[in-house]
Amino acid sequence: MQHDDERVRVRLFYVDGCPNAGAARDLVRRCLAQLNLDAVIEEVVGDHPSPTLHVDGIDVMGDPVVAVRSCRLDLPTAERVLAALRQAVARAGQTGA
């Protein structure tokens, strides 16, 4: 069982009305379930490249080329989300969290 301070931190940044935000949200939920991880997905609506997904503060697709309100063409993939989640779990294990 994970304690709150041991949870992987997931943040979904998107522009209101983004047609890809729902798919990104569903993707991260499926990846969390696949790895049997408990995490709260914090959603941040505003002027961001949209959708952007951070796991423990790291953009799963790498930093966007444009850091302003825009549609991202490099949408999160299952492979990248799963890799980011696994890395976050490994980092937490190394720090004793």
Side-chain angles (χ1 to χ4, degrees), residues 3-4 87:
H3 299 288
D4 285 345
Q87 289 172 355

Side-chain angles (χ1 to χ4, degrees), residues 19-65:
N20 295 312
R25 183 184 305 109
D26 292 343
L27 173 65
V28 77
R29 286 180 181 154
R30 285 193 311 271
C31 291
L32 288 166
Q34 182 176 335
L35 297 177
N36 197 30
L37 291 177
D38 182 26
V40 174
I41 303 169
E42 179 186 354
E43 297 193 16
V44 182
V45 180
D47 292 335
H48 313 281
S50 183
T52 294
L53 184 64
H54 284 189
V55 174
D56 284 352
I58 300 170
D59 189 327
V60 301
M61 297 305 292
D63 291 329
V65 175

Side-chain angles (χ1 to χ4, degrees), residues 64-85:
V65 175
V66 178
V68 296
R69 179 184 179 127
S70 62
C71 291
R72 284 191 78 150
L73 300 178
D74 60 339
L75 298 175
T77 63
E79 294 79 16
R80 297 291 289 265
V81 174
L82 288 167
L85 291 169

